[in-house]
């Protein structure tokens, strides 16, 4: 078994990803993450505030695998302001 399969407690895996072309709050039409933020694609939300949204991964690597993404649209993770 892989190490993540041996765990019995839920595991939280956090990713900050959202593909974008600029640093403003506009959303990309074809971005799957922006569609989740706009509720165009259903998701199992586990966290939400004014800046971020967290939801269960559709192909989890472990129980409790959660993706946390910014609501603002960014191409690269290092473009997300602190």
């Amino acid at each position: 078994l892989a190490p993540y399969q041996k765990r019995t407690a839920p595991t939280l895996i956090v990713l900050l990803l959202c593909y974008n072309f600029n640093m403003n709050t506009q959303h990309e039409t074809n971005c799957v993450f922006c569609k989740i933020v706009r509720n165009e694609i259903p998701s199992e939300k586990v966290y939400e505030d004014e800046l971020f949204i967290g939801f269960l991964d559709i192909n989890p690597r472990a129980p409790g695998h959660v993706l946390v993404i910014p609501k603002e649209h960014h191409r690269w993770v290092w473009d997300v302001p602190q």
Side-chain angles (χ1 to χ4, degrees), residues 11-80:
T11 302
L12 176 66
I13 300 172
V14 177
L15 298 177
L16 292 173
L17 295 173
C18 192
Y19 300 101
N20 186 12
F21 56 92
N22 60 28
M23 291 288 293
N24 63 29
T25 57
Q26 295 178 0
H27 295 283
E28 175 67 36
T29 307
N30 295 322
C31 175
V32 66
F33 296 116
C34 289
K35 288 180 179 182
I36 291 171
V37 169
R38 292 190 307 262
N39 293 315
E40 294 175 8
I41 296 177
S43 65
E44 292 291 327
K45 294 179 188 172
V46 296
Y47 177 80
E48 186 170 9
D49 65 15
E50 64 278 350
L51 299 175
F52 294 93
I53 184 171
F55 53 92
L56 295 176
D57 193 304
I58 59 171
N59 294 311
R61 300 286 301 204
H65 183 168
V66 173
L67 299 176
V68 178
I69 62 169
K71 288 184 174 182
E72 190 173 292
H73 206 47
H74 301 283
R75 180 177 174 109
W76 306 106
V77 71
W78 50 83
D79 290 337
V80 177

